[in-house]
Amino acid sequence: MIDPRTPILVGAGQITDTVGAPSSERSRVAFCAEAANLALEDTQAAIGGHALGHLVDAIAVMEFFSDISPRFASPYGRSSNPPQSVANRLHADPKQLLYTHSGGNMPQYLVNKFAEQIASGEIELALICGAELLRSTQNARRADMKIDWNEDPGGGEPTRIGDPRFGFSEEEARHDLRAAIHFYPLLENAIRGGLKRDVDSHMKAMGRLFERLAAVARDNPLATRREGYSAEALSTISPDNRWICFPYPRLMNANAIIDQAAAVLVTSVGKAQEWGIPQNRWVFLHGCADGTDTWVVSERDKLDSSPAIRGCARIALDMAGKKVADIDAFDLYSCFPSAVEVAMTEIGIAEDDPRPISVTGGLPFFGGPGNNYVTHSIAEMMNVVRAKPGSFGMVTANGNYLTKHSAGLYSTEPTKGAWKREDPKKFQAELDALPRRRVETTPTGTGTIETYCVTYGKDAPERGYILGRLDSSGDRFVAMTPDDPALVADMLTREQLGRKVSVSETGGRNVFRPV
């Protein structure tokens, strides 16, 4: 007998649109509802997906890119309450209407949270969904189309959930370090340093790693880039694979300019039985965990590791009574190579492990729909374990700059006994107690480069950035190149890791020069 309060995932829906024309009718919230209806149909409930939609009592929508970043701001308006807009389209009256704060970890975080609430009887049927329409937005702008996505669905303001803090410190922002495309390259070169590789050999290794993702995307009809790029193509600079921020060319970056939507449904065994959802649709959450690493990248003790990923994997596996060797497939968060490399190391997946490290094709090749990618990961992992009953799959989720982490362990095999997870506050207290580096905001004298990156404009490198350690105190510092194109060019041709520099303040920012 399975405990009737055991949480299960029962429906998954995904949409990728690469050809549709922009329209007022398909807004972001309408796109969410499309995916939700696919998830409802996927349950194969005896009462019907339409009737099941009326019973949804918790809806969470991932924050849209257009509500986060000025770069992706939409001129076409928005819903004032996205989860209420979705609820109205499903003719549901939920008691929870959640709109997340930014974070790629949030879909898995919400599965974990809703599973707890279902196990305790607090809710009965939860919908997690999200969508992005950046391809449509871009096309509509280019065609000067008149589209109206403004909507007031009623219900006031949604409840916000997640961590609203910026992912960077004032000191990092003072040096223009705010974006993922700055921080992940910094982490990448730190990883390379730890592996004692030169640039060329590490580029080839990154190419081999992402070739594996491209091969999955090639065979996934929902993927947006299905060329099946080779390791050589991925690691070679070309007109179609120009530098974005060294050491990452274009095809090693998440692809955000897509139209994608996904949704998953979470309920209990008892309710699934009551509504006539066949057992072959049930997917059990055997293990889960959440944890946040040292928030500020420049304050992290080690730049090539993640205690939170290591601990989330351990806690999820222990909860399931499994080992890493028992997992048949992974979907590791893959916005950039550094995210995958760190996750593999911390979880204990060898570089030559033949098991899938992505079931979608990853954010560069499947698509990177903002905060909602992991909803696709979970939906696809549901398909994978349903196709191979009794197999186990692990999904990892990552928010900010290898900062906020969640993990989930999935299988059609039923869990045993009452479903209960460890209080995540316990693990977070352990993470918060770990050492962190002091960052000197007014560094002077000499130091050593720990890691670096070089940003690019459309045609040429623009600026170099470093994290270094002062010789005098061992404190870390943030610095950038002065207005010196020759130094920026030199950073691309000479090894910078371990290089001695002098650092001082100029014009309100720390600048460095080789000694």
Side-chain angles (χ1 to χ4, degrees), residues 291-315:
T292 298
D293 275 315
T294 298
W295 193 264
V296 175
V297 170
S298 57
E299 293 179 1
R300 292 179 189 167
D301 187 41
K302 296 180 179 179
L303 298 171
D304 60 350
S305 68
S306 170
I309 293 179
R310 182 169 64 250
C312 280
R314 171 184 56 80
I315 292 167

Side-chain angles (χ1 to χ4, degrees), residues 188-189 192 197-210 231-237 241 243 245-250 252 337 341:
E188 189 67 59
N189 272 322
R192 179 172 68 81
R197 288 178 181 159
D198 60 25
V199 170
D200 184 62
S201 63
H202 194 64
M203 286 292 296
K204 290 177 180 176
M206 289 193 295
R208 291 192 299 271
L209 179 66
F210 268 33
E232 182 178 5
L234 292 168
S235 59
T236 301
I237 304 305
N241 196 34
W243 288 118
C245 183
F246 176 86
Y248 291 151
R250 171 176 167 265
M252 292 185 184
E341 291 156 355

Side-chain angles (χ1 to χ4, degrees), residues 214-433:
V216 175
R218 177 192 60 215
D219 298 328
N220 184 351
L222 290 172
T224 58
R225 287 176 176 163
R226 301 189 61 195
E227 292 83 350
Y229 297 102
S230 68
E232 182 178 5
L234 292 168
S235 59
T236 301
I237 304 305
S238 68
D240 291 331
N241 196 34
R242 65 182 180 87
W243 288 118
I244 300 297
C245 183
F246 176 86
Y248 291 151
R250 171 176 167 265
L251 294 174
M252 292 185 184
N253 291 255
N255 177 23
I257 309 301
I258 45 78
D259 287 0
Q260 289 183 314
V264 296
L265 290 159
V266 191
T267 189
S268 66
V269 164
K271 285 298 173 181
Q273 291 169 331
E274 178 183 330
W275 297 326
I277 299 174
Q279 191 162 348
N280 65 8
R281 313 315 293 159
W282 302 0
V283 174
F284 293 82
L285 181 65
H286 279 254
C288 63
D290 305 291
T292 298
D293 275 315
T294 298
W295 193 264
V296 175
V297 170
S298 57
E299 293 179 1
R300 292 179 189 167
D301 187 41
K302 296 180 179 179
L303 298 171
D304 60 350
S305 68
S306 170
I309 293 179
R310 182 169 64 250
C312 280
R314 171 184 56 80
I315 292 167
L317 287 164
D318 287 350
M319 180 177 171
K322 297 294 180 182
K323 305 292 185 186
V324 176
D326 299 322
I327 307 306
D328 298 273
F330 300 87
D331 199 86
L332 306 179
Y333 199 86
S334 52
C335 49
F336 302 94
S338 52
V340 181
E341 291 156 355
V342 170
M344 290 178 71
T345 298
E346 299 293 15
I347 295 170
I349 307 168
E351 192 173 337
D352 60 353
D353 192 308
R355 291 174 292 179
I357 55 173
S358 175
V359 295
T360 67
L363 286 92
F365 311 112
F366 171 80
N371 298 313
N372 197 49
Y373 167 76
V374 171
T375 312
H376 289 273
S377 296
I378 296 165
E380 196 59 37
M381 191 61 78
M382 290 173 67
N383 294 334
V384 168
V385 299
R386 281 168 169 174
K388 187 180 177 183
S391 65
F392 281 78
M394 176 182 282
V395 169
T396 68
N398 162 26
N400 287 6
Y401 314 127
L402 216 63
T403 310
K404 301 181 287 187
H405 303 281
S406 294
L409 197 58
Y410 298 95
S411 179
T412 58
E413 180 179 302
T415 54
K416 298 175 182 178
W419 192 94
K420 185 174 176 58
R421 69 178 295 197
E422 177 183 286
D423 185 347
K425 292 179 182 178
K426 178 178 180 292
F427 178 45
Q428 192 57 53
E430 296 172 11
L431 292 170
D432 292 342

Side-chain angles (χ1 to χ4, degrees), residues 11 17 21 23 39 47 59 74 93 116 123 131 186 197 223 256 313 341 354 369 440 459 461 474 476 480 495 503 509:
D17 184 356
S23 70
I47 66 170
I59 295 180
S74 171
D93 185 23
E116 282 189 287
I123 59 174
L186 287 169
R197 288 178 181 159
E341 291 156 355
E440 175 56 67
D459 301 311
R476 190 171 279 147
M480 60 200 301
E495 177 61 86
V503 59
R509 294 174 172 177

